[in-house]
Amino acid sequence: ALPILKDLEYSKKVKEWAETYSKMDAASAAAILEEMTGDTDLVSDILLCMTSKQRAAILAEMDPVYAAKLTVIMYPGKG
């Protein structure tokens, strides 16, 4: 049961961060999230918790190569 609790806690934190970043200016949020290059899975999870409009605004402000990398991670059909 412990991994489930851990997953729930993680999901809750990700949702809180998504809410925080979605309230920021898109360029500022993009700049911060881009610095998290070693944790693209976390960045992807945060972006997936946002509305598509919020996610689009942030991805548009990112470096295209990094935004593309995140999109591949978020794409459900991979693997």
Side-chain angles (χ1 to χ4, degrees):
L2 276 173
I4 294 168
L5 285 175
K6 196 174 174 190
D7 288 349
L8 287 172
E9 188 61 31
Y10 175 80
S11 296
K12 187 175 168 225
K13 290 226 184 327
V14 167
K15 284 189 179 101
E16 287 169 6
W17 281 112
E19 198 175 320
T20 301
Y21 284 114
S22 65
K23 288 177 181 171
M24 287 182 191
D25 169 62
S28 302
I32 296 166
L33 292 169
E34 274 186 309
E35 288 299 314
M36 297 166 62
T37 51
D39 215 340
T40 47
D41 287 343
L42 175 59
V43 174
S44 299
D45 288 345
I46 289 169
L47 289 171
L48 284 170
C49 283
M50 295 179 181
T51 66
S52 57
K53 188 177 178 182
Q54 293 164 333
R55 184 165 52 247
I58 291 171
L59 286 168
E61 294 290 341
M62 287 183 167
D63 171 72
V65 175
Y66 189 65
K69 191 185 288 188
L70 290 172
T71 302
V72 170
I73 293 167
M74 289 185 285
Y75 178 64
K78 78 174 180 93

